[in-house]
């Protein structure tokens, strides 16, 4: 299985649109948040090692 993660620079404030009804910024440490294992075990640690997530 392969997962592709894109890194992008955005301008302005992101807002939910189309199929997204809501969104929020996360750190991965929120006790009320259940993440997919690939995000929890691979994406968030990668972002942390690159200094893009606290």
């Amino acid at each position: 299985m392969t997962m592709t993660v894109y890194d992008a620079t955005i301008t302005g404030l992101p807002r939910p649109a189309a199929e997204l009804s809501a969104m929020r910024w996360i750190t991965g440490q929120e006790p009320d948040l259940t993440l997919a294992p690939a995000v929890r075990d691979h994406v968030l640690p990668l972002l942390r090692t690159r200094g893009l997530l606290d």
Side-chain angles (χ1 to χ4, degrees):
M1 173 170 54
T2 301
M3 180 170 70
T4 302
V5 178
Y6 296 94
D7 181 9
T9 301
I10 59 171
T11 58
L13 183 64
R15 293 180 219 196
E19 69 276 359
L20 297 177
S21 63
M23 62 186 280
R24 72 181 195 187
W25 294 111
I26 65 162
T27 65
Q29 305 300 324
E30 294 78 3
D32 64 328
L33 186 64
T34 302
L35 298 172
V39 172
R40 181 191 65 224
D41 300 338
H42 301 284
V43 175
L44 293 181
L46 177 64
L47 293 173
R48 284 189 187 99
T49 61
R50 293 186 177 181
L52 299 172
L53 187 64
D54 293 331

